[in-house]
Amino acid sequence: MTSSKEKKYTFVAMSLGGISNRLKIIASCLRMADKFEGKVLIYWPEIKTCWAKFSDLFQEDFEEISKEEFRQILRKKKAERLEDNIYRFEGPRKDYSLFSGWRFILLPKIDNNIEEEGIDLRFKNLDKNLCKEYVNYLKRIKPTNEIKLKVYNFLSKYKLQNFVGVHIRRGDYLEVAQDL
């Protein structure tokens, strides 16, 4: 594999969403970087949907860029922005591919043979090999030891075995764009 200095393409994971959507975007970028021998940069703004820094939550195995560095990439005009509704990705056309959506990871192949109009996004309905691949990319994003300890202590204290989590959308995207 080529070293990061030799890598021609850069995949930038950028999201205004919550932590789960951000992790899915990073996993998508990791998959693209593996396929096209590129590298991954993470733009993780501290905004209403996620006030924490990436480095506060996850181990430093990834290169994080600041708001100013992100803006410099945009100013260079060597970047293409790929949205969530694109189901065909034949490869990078510019030096930087900006991912704000995560559905690329769900496609069994990343090539020009894909002609999907839509995807059933329920994990249980996906191809089993694709699910394994997806989980492997997510496992590369490791929580800090401090976060691991907090989770362990919480689970030990409350003995949670069978539980249901509820995600309530609070209109958190309404004012997020201005935070960029």
Side-chain angles (χ1 to χ4, degrees):
M1 186 151 231
T2 58
S3 73
S4 67
K5 290 182 181 179
E6 298 171 8
K7 296 188 186 273
K8 184 174 181 181
Y9 301 112
T10 302
F11 298 92
V12 181
M14 43 96 44
S15 173
L16 304 178
I19 194 167
S20 180
N21 286 335
R22 292 176 187 220
L23 294 177
K24 291 181 225 177
I25 291 168
I26 293 171
S28 280
C29 285
L30 291 171
R31 187 174 193 223
M32 297 300 115
D34 284 353
K35 169 110 176 132
F36 297 105
E37 296 185 9
K39 69 176 187 173
V40 174
L41 297 177
I42 297 173
Y43 175 55
W44 187 284
E46 291 179 69
I47 54 177
K48 290 180 182 181
T49 54
C50 184
W51 282 112
K53 293 180 183 176
F54 179 83
S55 58
D56 291 341
L57 303 173
F58 302 98
Q59 296 176 16
E60 291 292 325
D61 295 336
F62 302 100
E63 187 176 346
E64 194 174 356
I65 60 173
S66 68
K67 180 189 271 188
E68 184 52 39
E69 290 169 312
F70 180 71
R71 287 181 174 167
Q72 286 175 5
I73 290 171
L74 294 177
R75 282 193 290 264
K76 288 180 185 177
K77 298 189 179 182
K78 292 184 176 183
E80 62 181 329
R81 190 170 185 159
L82 303 169
E83 300 297 335
D84 206 27
N85 59 355
I86 295 176
Y87 295 100
R88 178 182 290 192
F89 184 70
E90 297 173 7
R93 294 180 299 233
K94 296 194 176 187
D95 293 348
Y96 295 90
S97 295
L98 311 177
F99 280 74
S100 59
W102 55 271
R103 287 184 172 90
F104 298 96
I105 195 68
L106 298 178
L107 300 174
K109 298 178 185 174
I110 311 167
D111 59 31
N112 58 4
N113 295 325
I114 297 169
E115 296 186 20
E116 300 284 337
E117 289 297 321
I119 298 174
D120 183 345
L121 300 177
R122 288 176 285 190
F123 198 75
K124 69 179 182 176
N125 294 341
L126 296 174
D127 174 77
K128 297 297 179 206
N129 291 325
L130 183 60
C131 290
K132 288 178 187 175
E133 181 184 358
Y134 180 65
V135 169
N136 285 334
Y137 281 107
L138 287 174
K139 284 182 179 179
R140 288 171 58 182
I141 309 166
K142 296 179 173 41
T144 64
N145 289 333
E146 182 182 358
I147 295 293
K148 287 180 189 176
L149 182 61
K150 286 181 180 183
V151 169
Y152 174 80
N153 288 338
F154 181 86
L155 292 175
S156 297
K157 181 178 178 180
Y158 294 106
K159 309 255 187 270
L160 298 175
Q161 292 176 353
N162 298 315
F163 61 93
V164 173
V166 177
H167 180 137
I168 299 172
R169 183 64 69 197
R170 304 173 321 220
D172 48 2
Y173 290 104
L174 297 176
E175 299 175 17
V176 165
Q178 69 187 8
D179 292 331
L180 269 181

